[in-house]
Amino acid sequence: MGRGKIEIKRIENKTNRQVTFCKRRNGLLKKAYELSVLCDVEVALIVFSSRGRVYEYANNNIRSTIERYKKSTADSSNAYTTQEINAQFYQQESKKMHNQIQMLQNSNRHLLGEGLGSLNVKELKQLETRLERGITRIRAKKEIQLEQENNSLRAKIAENERLRQFSMMPAGQDYSIQSYFTTNVLQLNMMETVSVYPVPDKPTLHLG
């Protein structure tokens, strides 16, 4: 006659519960021992009865096994926490960047006069102010560049006019001007020669 299946739930009868505990406790300790021998693993088993009594089995020092367990779980927990924190951080940063891109795209569309239906009066006024400020800066920059270009153009026109006047000067006038400067330079050189090298007086001839 085979053993019947027992429903896994709390045994209400106190005596039956205590008997079942003793039987299964011994079987559990035996299984822990067999597992440590057959598989060459470190096993530590601690059981507290309903009366507060402790039963334990360990194929190594139970305290060292507990410390090893604490260290292992702490490292795993920290590693998982770090990964989780990193994942949350990157998710938040990705969400922020996505929102910023969406805001910039909407702002560009608004500046082009598109998608204005979702804006209220206050937002439309702010957009109008931004456009007016932008136009003012653009006009100021344009005026500066136009002034620089005009100045450069005036300088080129003046230079071309001066060259044209010289090219239209008659040949005789050009020669007379050159002769004038040549004559003045020669006279000046002669005056300087006379003053620097005076002619000596001729000796007086006496007769008888």
Side-chain angles (χ1 to χ4, degrees):
M1 186 176 181
R3 298 169 56 184
K5 292 185 178 180
I6 300 177
E7 185 179 2
I8 304 302
K9 66 177 185 179
R10 184 175 183 273
I11 301 175
E12 298 297 334
N13 186 279
K14 186 176 181 180
T15 302
N16 293 339
R17 187 168 64 244
Q18 184 63 30
V19 172
T20 302
F21 171 73
C22 292
K23 290 181 179 180
R24 291 186 176 264
R25 179 200 65 200
N26 294 334
L28 183 61
L29 295 174
K30 182 180 179 182
K31 290 295 183 183
Y33 165 75
E34 292 174 351
L35 181 63
S36 64
V37 174
L38 294 174
C39 301
D40 191 22
V41 294
E42 185 175 353
V43 177
L45 174 64
I46 302 176
V47 179
F48 290 95
S49 68
S50 59
R51 298 179 181 180
R53 298 184 61 181
V54 60
Y55 303 89
E56 63 183 40
Y57 167 79
N59 63 334
N60 196 2
N61 184 278
I62 193 168
R63 293 185 181 275
S64 63
T65 303
I66 292 175
E67 291 299 326
R68 181 180 178 183
Y69 168 77
K70 288 181 179 181
K71 186 177 183 301
S72 177
T73 54
D75 293 341
S76 300
S77 177
N78 291 337
Y80 176 76
T81 303
T82 302
Q83 294 176 358
E84 185 179 15
I85 291 174
N86 290 337
Q88 292 178 354
F89 172 77
Y90 289 124
Q91 288 177 358
Q92 293 176 356
E93 290 298 316
S94 176
K95 187 176 181 180
K96 288 180 181 178
M97 293 181 65
H98 178 75
N99 293 336
Q100 290 177 356
I101 293 173
Q102 188 66 35
M103 291 175 61
L104 291 174
Q105 290 177 346
N106 293 335
S107 178
N108 291 335
R109 292 177 63 244
H110 294 161
L111 292 175
L112 295 175
E114 301 175 356
L116 303 178
S118 60
L119 302 181
N120 54 33
V121 177
K122 183 178 179 180
E123 291 172 340
L124 289 172
K125 183 63 178 178
Q126 293 176 351
L127 179 60
E128 182 181 10
T129 303
R130 288 181 58 193
L131 290 172
E132 290 176 351
R133 291 177 180 175
I135 292 174
T136 301
R137 289 193 293 266
I138 292 172
R139 286 175 177 171
K141 181 64 176 178
K142 183 186 69 174
E143 291 176 358
I144 293 174
Q145 290 187 351
L146 286 175
E147 183 66 22
Q148 293 175 351
E149 292 177 0
N150 289 336
N151 292 336
S152 178
L153 184 60
R154 291 192 190 99
K156 290 181 179 179
I157 293 174
E159 180 66 18
N160 291 335
E161 183 66 20
R162 187 178 65 84
L163 294 175
R164 186 181 66 83
Q165 291 178 357
F166 276 109
S167 65
M168 294 178 64
M169 183 178 295
Q173 184 179 357
D174 187 17
Y175 175 77
S176 61
I177 294 174
Q178 184 177 4
S179 300
Y180 170 78
F181 281 107
T182 303
T183 303
N184 289 341
V185 170
L186 289 174
Q187 291 177 357
L188 181 62
N189 290 337
M190 291 176 64
M191 293 175 62
E192 291 179 352
T193 302
V194 171
S195 60
V196 175
Y197 302 102
V199 178
D201 296 334
K202 294 182 179 181
T204 304
L205 179 62
H206 298 279
L207 296 176

